[in-house]
Amino acid sequence: MKIKLVSSITPTEGEQETYEMWLQGTFIEKSGTHYLRYEEVQDDQTIRTTVKLTNEQAFIMRNGGINMRLPLNTSQQERGRYESKFGLIPLMTETNQLSYERLETGGQFRTEYELIIDGSSVGNYTLEINYTEV
């Protein structure tokens, strides 16, 4: 799969930053659930990412240079965690929007969520993933 990933971060204090990446990955359908897997390199460390995709909920799991479990659910706040060489940070997500559409030769996923650490918002995040067969 050819994957276009666009991530926008609007911190509580600061200006919006947008990142765009083009990656190669795989799409898996298992028991009616869709998974997208890809690898990226940040600061010379490989990070393996799996995104579980549905219309109501999503789950982003990253392993490698960083470890993260980020659940997204439009009907309730969810607990997640972010782990790096500096330690473990518990976090919460408040998902404002989530959509997923499976297309004939790929799909589109989009979510907007607020990231909360220690009871305080650290910013609003938008993630868009478009993937197509190569």
Side-chain angles (χ1 to χ4, degrees):
M1 289 286 162
K2 184 177 178 180
I3 300 167
K4 179 184 178 186
L5 186 142
V6 179
S7 177
S8 296
I9 303 165
T10 306
T12 306
E13 295 180 20
E15 295 184 25
Q16 180 179 7
E17 298 176 35
T18 300
Y19 305 93
E20 181 177 312
M21 287 187 274
W22 288 91
L23 306 159
Q24 294 293 319
T26 57
F27 174 83
I28 299 163
E29 184 174 355
K30 191 156 95 175
S31 303
T33 302
H34 298 162
Y35 299 88
L36 193 60
R37 292 186 177 145
Y38 57 88
E39 288 187 356
E40 60 187 281
V41 177
Q42 287 183 6
D43 301 323
D44 295 327
Q45 295 186 349
T46 300
I47 301 166
R48 293 173 308 283
T49 302
T50 301
V51 184
K52 179 180 176 183
L53 304 164
T54 70
N55 278 319
E56 299 82 32
Q57 298 179 32
F59 187 79
I60 301 170
M61 189 166 58
R62 302 176 84 193
N63 293 296
I66 60 166
N67 294 306
M68 181 180 77
R69 296 175 57 83
L70 189 72
L72 301 163
N73 185 338
T74 54
S75 62
Q76 66 183 30
Q77 279 191 349
E78 292 282 352
R79 294 182 186 278
R81 71 172 195 257
Y82 180 89
E83 193 175 349
S84 71
K85 60 185 175 188
F86 303 110
L88 176 69
I89 301 170
L91 49 88
M92 299 284 290
T93 56
E94 176 81 38
T95 306
N96 302 313
Q97 188 271 337
L98 191 142
S99 63
Y100 170 61
E101 182 180 9
R102 176 79 171 114
L103 305 171
E104 184 114 355
T105 59
Q108 299 174 332
F109 171 77
R110 185 175 196 285
T111 186
E112 296 175 13
Y113 62 94
E114 180 179 12
L115 189 63
I116 302 161
I117 298 175
D118 287 334
S120 298
S121 175
V122 295
N124 292 301
Y125 291 68
T126 301
L127 176 63
E128 295 180 44
I129 300 174
N130 292 289
Y131 61 95
T132 55
E133 292 178 9
V134 278

